[in-house]
Amino acid sequence: MRIGVIAIQGDISEHVEALERALNERGEKAEILTIKHKGIVPECDALVLPGGESTTLGKLLIREGIADEIQEMKDAGKPIMGTCAGMILLSKEGDEQVAKTHQHLLGLMDTTVNRNAFGRQRDSFEMELELSFLESPYNAVFIRAPGIVDVGSDVKVLSRIDDMIVAAEQGNVFALAFHPELTLDTRVHQYFLDKLF
């Protein structure tokens, strides 16, 4: 079993460590691969798109030939999780900020994203968040976070803050506006691994 983490930019080591903790807790083994170049994604059984700067990430995924491989992974039904910038990249449509920066979107989820839904870096926050797949609240860390403003009929909304969707899934694709890798609580990564094991 192999789990890939896109390692172009963002919270790469934090996701690797969170996945290792989650695997240890469930007594499962998997190889975690960090991905910077084309050719590794097809070897993976699951994939994480971490946070970072979404415009840069989008351009590099195209330049490195990784974007097409991610599309093929989605088509093969393999689990994909995107956090923060990863959520932006998974969306089909974006707001005027996405258009202005010529942000490349992978379009793997029938969602429309607001790139800076919760403001700038200084507006970052933590909160106890209700997620539909967890029995108790999760301490979610939002850093210059996006939000989903519209979803297609096949998208399952997993959490909202007021009118803003902050967690959703569509088939094998799972998107979060927050950073589960920045807490020691592995329940979100466990939910992702449930799709694999």
Side-chain angles (χ1 to χ4, degrees), residues 108-122:
L108 303 191
M109 291 182 80
D110 190 7
T111 54
T112 302
V113 72
N114 176 338
R115 202 171 89 165
N116 293 107
F118 296 97
R120 299 188 175 280
Q121 194 86 16
R122 67 175 177 272

Side-chain angles (χ1 to χ4, degrees), residues 37-59:
H37 305 289
K38 185 178 178 178
I40 302 167
V41 169
E43 300 173 13
C44 296
D45 302 289
L47 184 70
V48 175
L49 281 160
E53 207 291 302
S54 61
T55 310
T56 305
L57 277 166
K59 284 178 184 165

Side-chain angles (χ1 to χ4, degrees), residues 105-163:
L105 301 176
L106 296 170
L108 303 191
M109 291 182 80
D110 190 7
T111 54
T112 302
V113 72
N114 176 338
R115 202 171 89 165
N116 293 107
F118 296 97
R120 299 188 175 280
Q121 194 86 16
R122 67 175 177 272
D123 302 311
S124 301
F125 63 98
E126 288 184 39
M127 69 174 288
E128 292 293 300
L129 185 67
E130 298 285 344
L131 289 153
S132 63
F133 56 90
L134 298 181
E135 290 177 6
S136 59
Y138 185 89
N139 185 49
V141 179
F142 290 83
I143 301 172
R144 199 178 170 192
I148 294 171
V149 293
D150 193 33
V151 297
S153 57
D154 291 341
V155 178
K156 187 174 165 187
V157 174
L158 304 173
S159 185
R160 293 177 188 266
I161 298 175
D162 300 324
D163 293 334

Side-chain angles (χ1 to χ4, degrees), residues 64-79:
E64 295 297 330
I66 298 170
D68 290 340
E69 294 181 339
I70 297 172
Q71 178 67 56
E72 288 163 15
M73 190 173 201
K74 188 248 185 189
D75 294 343
K78 296 177 178 179

